[in-house]
Amino acid sequence: MSNHEEYMKMAAKLAEENVKNGGGPFAAVVVKDDKVIATGCNRVTDKHDPTAHAEVEAIRKATQKLGTHDLSGCTIYSSCEPCPMCLGAIYWARLDRLFFGNTRSDAASIGFDDEFIHLELEKPIDQRSIPTQQIVTKNIKDAFEHWAQNEDKKEY
């Protein structure tokens, strides 16, 4: 059995334990150099935080442990295909690889359906379910201009 399967088994076990403790059926494991750096479980309801998904929780812990926002060289194992938010976090964190167990269709079949978000992202801004409008003020670009001119900035 490969290490990939072992890490996926770990994610599955964490997800099951999370359900037993009143959480959602999702977990993730971040690995670097064949060592577990961090784990995360869905903590949305107990933290009252809609962003506390397993992958985001694991990424937050890994970045704190490693002291960097850049998780290049790391792999994430998720018990389920990541939602759009988590997938965005995986890309922003620059993880090298993603493995997942259950599919988004599997998640939808038990009440965790994020298909509407996938569809919303494809729509023009003025056709989305949440009314969205750009407001341009005189100073709206100031922070961007200062960032562009700052020679001491930390790129990310």
Side-chain angles (χ1 to χ4, degrees):
M1 186 172 312
S2 74
N3 286 346
H4 297 308
E5 290 178 36
E6 289 301 318
Y7 295 129
M8 189 58 67
K9 281 183 178 181
M10 182 183 294
K13 184 177 179 182
L14 289 168
E16 178 66 18
E17 289 172 7
N18 202 49
V19 169
K20 289 177 182 174
N21 292 322
F26 306 100
V29 177
V30 175
V31 174
K32 183 173 185 169
D33 300 326
D34 210 27
K35 293 180 184 156
V36 175
I37 301 300
T39 63
C41 292
N42 182 286
R43 306 280 313 277
V44 169
T45 56
D46 66 321
K47 281 189 166 185
H48 308 292
D49 179 354
T51 69
H53 289 202
E55 297 89 343
V56 172
E57 292 287 294
I59 288 168
R60 287 174 178 158
K61 290 177 186 175
T63 58
Q64 291 302 302
K65 183 171 184 177
L66 297 176
T68 179
H69 61 276
D70 186 341
L71 296 181
S72 296
C74 295
T75 298
I76 191 166
Y77 298 83
S78 178
S79 63
C80 188
E81 184 177 359
C83 74
M85 176 186 69
C86 292
L87 188 58
I90 289 165
Y91 276 96
W92 280 114
R94 296 183 182 94
L95 286 144
D96 285 0
R97 203 157 180 195
L98 160 67
F99 292 95
F100 67 89
N102 296 300
T103 66
R104 73 190 211 208
S105 296
D106 296 329
S109 73
I110 61 165
F112 294 91
D113 192 353
D114 59 12
E115 188 62 26
F116 76 98
I117 298 173
H118 291 279
L119 296 173
E120 283 288 300
L121 292 172
E122 295 174 8
K123 292 179 182 177
I125 289 173
D126 64 346
Q127 294 177 18
R128 293 184 180 163
S129 298
I130 295 176
T132 305
Q133 180 179 342
Q134 181 182 21
I135 298 175
V136 179
T137 61
K138 181 180 176 189
N139 64 338
I140 197 68
K141 299 241 187 241
D142 291 355
F144 279 32
E145 290 169 5
H146 290 133
W147 171 262
Q149 296 168 6
N150 183 353
E151 293 180 13
D152 297 325
K153 66 185 167 228
K154 290 185 181 181
E155 297 281 350
Y156 60 94

